Amino acid sequence: MKFLLFLTAAALTAAPPIVIQNATVLTVTKGSFKGSVVIQDGKIKEVGEKVMIPPGAQIIDASGQYLMPGIIDAHSHIAADSINEGSVSVSSMVGIEDVLDPEAISIYRALAGGVTTVNVLHGSANAIGGKCQVIKTRWGKDREGILFEGAKPGIKFALGENPKRQGMSSGTRAGGGQQYLRYPGTRMGVEDVIRQAFNDAKIYQAEWKSFNERKGRGENPIPPKRDLKLDALVEVLEGKRLVHAHCYRADEILMLLRVADEFGFKIKTLQHVLEGYKVAKEIKEHGAGASTFSDWWAYKVEAFDAIPYNAAIMVKKGVLVSLNSDSGELMRRLNTEAGKTMKYGGLTETEALSLITINPAKQLDLDNRIGSIEPGKDADLVIYDKHPLSSFAKVQKVLIDGSVYFERDRDITDRQLREQRKKQLLEKEKQNQPQQKKNAAPGRRPA
Amino acid sequence: MKLYSFFLAASLIAGTDDTFVMKGVTVHPVTGPDVENASLLVIDGKIAEIGDAKLKTPKTTKVIEAKGLHVYPGMIDSATEIGMSEIGSVRETSDVSELGDYKPQLRAAIAVNPASEHIPVIRANGITAALAVPDGGVIAGQASLMHLDGWTWEEMAIRIDAAMHLRFPVISTGSFFSRTSYPEAKRNYENRLKSLSDYFEQARRYQKAKAAAGPGFKTDLALEAMQPVLSKKVPIMISASRERAIKEAVAWADKESVRVVLAQVRRPGSALALLKEKNIPVILGPTQELPLEEDDPYDEAFTVPVEVHKAGVKFAFGSFGNQFSRNLPYQAATAVAFGLPYEEALKSVTLYPAQIWGVDDRMGAIEKGKDADFIVTDGDPLEVKTNVKRMFIRGREVDLESKHTKLYKKYLARP
């Protein structure tokens, strides 16, 4: 409570600067050294072996500990009340921003795992899915408070088994028996859905262009009918909305790159991209990033050629690679997921750390704000007790915008308090409940 | 291609040679202090001596120089679907769950496909043995402890009847979508419990009938398979996760007088004291999981192992699948980060599973007289960065190539 009061007070007056001292600082982009970081107004002000300590600064002593940039998970579904609008093959009119739940406990758990920025994606039920939302794990803030202000909007695409699932039954042929079928049922159909959608978007874009031109000439044209679904795709065509495409197999990855080439837009990231290592050359040529798992495989047919060396091969072939979790559990251990790439493919410490910091920041076009410890960037920082790439490391403190949002010590001391409060609430609930009839028939609970 | 034939040749040579001395290594016996700059002598597939640099061996003994590397016992995964399931989403590739409620005669070992792509993938991370566990129904069948090397399942098998897997009945009101009322669920549970006890009674009567009967006695394969359980030769592996289920399972096992290993223990609570008192070991896992309840501490799952350790209960880890079996050591490592002593973590993937599955006379530690089942690493096997450089099973070197390393090399070389 005292801590909360302190934070509020601090926010009202100008927050005092913070200096994190004596840490092993893993900047990711500018090397690693024993030193300090000065934070002012939520931003990193100074980084170095020796720094000027501003007067009145709050000191955090991190002797024997490790400081790294806040972890960025480029693929997650936490804090969203719903994930898939799967009734249609193209659902670019819907978006995660409308279903965010700032009180989801998954936010706190991610925070406790050192994750400070999350790309919350629509699901993979359809070829063109809904819009994504980048958030910061500012636990305790309201819906507006968790949004990553100024983050470029994104959209989810999906290829392969998931988007074709509703177009197939148990047989090998598309169709065959399922009652409610939805096109597409094959990888051919998935491509068709995307091409048709962008064909429509081009026509729609041209209609608006012509309307605006005529209006500009002083004519009085009738405006085209607004189409919320195509609006988002026009933004993609104009480079204003980033495409994050779920994919597995090399053939479908190549297909999407070629469709994007055909319509003149870019794929910002390929997600999962488990066979990315087979077409790394083509991915690099297109300029797409790749966001993959460390070692998932064999859970379905399209994941049977997945290898834990995927990230390393793509890095070596010049692709911008990140590691993501797609899981509220795994996202708490992205540091050791990154560590695995040192074994699987021999990446260096810095390359491994980049996979969960600066690289996903670039993939979200947010590398001017986050992803490394450099002056001018957001003070999103994690303190670990051991080197974060070690199996034995755990998070001690997490700062976002220069404010402490997680402290392990505090979490532990608060446990008793929370337990007490829970008991009190349960007691209160019991008292407030009307007395139940003793011989009432034990009925079915409503489903 | 050249690389491939090299490995083939290497494994052929190693296959005929299970006598050698490995020099310059740090041996981590697990049961005793580490031995630096050791010479590890293996004769006929067994550990013959752990000596210092001056250890005298016959001139003809093959010398393997492994300066600076570390020797640890091969790790043992105490619950997998190894060789029994290939691709999670494809029913045709799974032989884990058979129909019916009581099938003690089923044996996991014979459904372990020695050519499964999972086997080399898993052993590449230092796992030399795994328990293949059948599932489904009440008595699912016999779980088999398998070496992760062999041309046939027979060669792989260490103990075909390592345990009888029982899924202990629980009161289940079903999922969110299909709810059963509590009284109905309780009735179902009581019926299942009764039928389980009846089944054991039947097995006992069968035993008596068989002892009393003369020629012409009709053998029953299922009840026959129950006899080693009744005589406590084979432990019964009971999946029970929470306090209440665990207490009920232990009370039931007491009544039936069977030997028990508890599996998938997740929230034992006050049942831990009972497990300690009855000397019942536990298979944990997976413990890299989300907390069970919304208001649990964020590290609730990570701290289960230290809680079990503090209670003095013996435990081992299981991955309960195939996909993440190779991450078995990291489960143990996460437990260390959250309070488990390091030595306990290492034992929980080596010595303890060997003891729990009754094979500690042969494996689980680097000791004179035991099988030479060990790994040679460039560091601590619980660290994600560590590479397993070589592996020996019964003294024979095992190929560490897998589908994954082959695809890696193939596509890294793509122009």
Side-chain angles (χ1 to χ4, degrees), chain B residues 153-213:
Chain B
W153 61 259
E154 207 164 30
E155 286 182 14
M156 293 173 71
I158 302 165
R159 264 195 81 170
I160 290 177
D161 60 350
M164 186 68 75
H165 187 209
L166 165 71
R167 214 162 252 292
F168 201 74
V170 288
I171 300 178
S172 168
T173 48
S175 67
F176 180 78
F177 297 102
S178 71
R179 232 170 225 296
T180 316
S181 72
Y182 180 77
E184 202 179 324
K186 189 147 185 286
R187 240 187 342 268
N188 289 342
Y189 158 77
E190 281 160 359
N191 287 342
R192 278 172 94 80
L193 208 56
K194 167 117 187 4
S195 81
L196 178 63
S197 287
D198 287 351
Y199 195 76
F200 270 74
E201 182 56 27
Q202 212 181 328
R204 270 193 201 93
R205 289 186 183 187
Y206 176 83
Q207 188 181 32
K208 279 187 193 149
K210 193 181 172 188

Side-chain angles (χ1 to χ4, degrees), chain B residues 241-258:
Chain B
S241 184
R242 299 197 189 216
E243 185 172 341
R244 179 172 163 172
I246 294 169
K247 283 184 174 171
E248 284 173 1
V250 171
W252 172 85
D254 247 9
K255 197 180 80 184
E256 300 291 352
S257 184
V258 288

Side-chain angles (χ1 to χ4, degrees), chain B residues 125-358:
Chain B
N125 256 13
I127 293 151
T128 50
L131 191 74
V133 185
D135 208 345
V138 182
I139 293 183
Q142 296 163 39
S144 307
L145 190 65
M146 310 295 283
H147 263 139
L148 295 186
D149 184 43
W151 293 95
T152 66
W153 61 259
E154 207 164 30
E155 286 182 14
M156 293 173 71
I158 302 165
R159 264 195 81 170
I160 290 177
D161 60 350
M164 186 68 75
H165 187 209
L166 165 71
R167 214 162 252 292
F168 201 74
V170 288
I171 300 178
S172 168
T173 48
S175 67
F176 180 78
F177 297 102
S178 71
R179 232 170 225 296
T180 316
S181 72
Y182 180 77
E184 202 179 324
K186 189 147 185 286
R187 240 187 342 268
N188 289 342
Y189 158 77
E190 281 160 359
N191 287 342
R192 278 172 94 80
L193 208 56
K194 167 117 187 4
S195 81
L196 178 63
S197 287
D198 287 351
Y199 195 76
F200 270 74
E201 182 56 27
Q202 212 181 328
R204 270 193 201 93
R205 289 186 183 187
Y206 176 83
Q207 188 181 32
K208 279 187 193 149
K210 193 181 172 188
F217 176 77
K218 285 179 192 149
T219 302
D220 181 303
L221 293 179
L223 297 175
E224 199 67 47
M226 286 297 291
Q227 300 313 312
V229 174
L230 296 178
S231 66
K232 298 193 181 187
K233 197 181 139 245
V234 167
I236 192 146
M237 180 182 186
I238 304 184
S239 286
S241 184
R242 299 197 189 216
E243 185 172 341
R244 179 172 163 172
I246 294 169
K247 283 184 174 171
E248 284 173 1
V250 171
W252 172 85
D254 247 9
K255 197 180 80 184
E256 300 291 352
S257 184
V258 288
R259 197 150 64 86
V260 171
V261 176
L262 277 180
Q264 277 177 303
V265 166
R266 175 59 190 277
R267 180 157 288 181
S270 68
L272 276 177
L274 189 66
L275 297 180
K276 164 77 180 152
E277 182 201 321
K278 307 268 180 200
N279 204 16
I280 294 173
V282 153
I283 308 303
L284 298 174
T287 49
Q288 290 176 323
E289 286 283 306
L290 282 173
L292 283 176
E293 314 289 345
E294 181 122 321
D295 48 5
D296 280 340
Y298 77 95
D299 58 2
E300 179 265 337
F302 303 154
T303 57
V304 174
V306 66
E307 194 191 332
V308 173
H309 163 68
K310 278 184 181 159
V313 173
K314 182 166 286 177
F315 67 95
F317 286 96
S319 60
F320 294 86
N322 283 341
Q323 196 191 163
F324 298 119
S325 178
R326 64 173 156 196
N327 290 341
L328 183 81
Y330 314 141
Q331 259 197 81
T334 299
V336 174
F338 287 85
L340 182 71
Y342 172 82
E343 291 71 23
E344 288 297 307
L346 192 58
K347 285 178 184 171
S348 69
V349 290
T350 53
L351 182 67
Y352 294 158
Q355 290 171 342
I356 291 169
W357 304 123

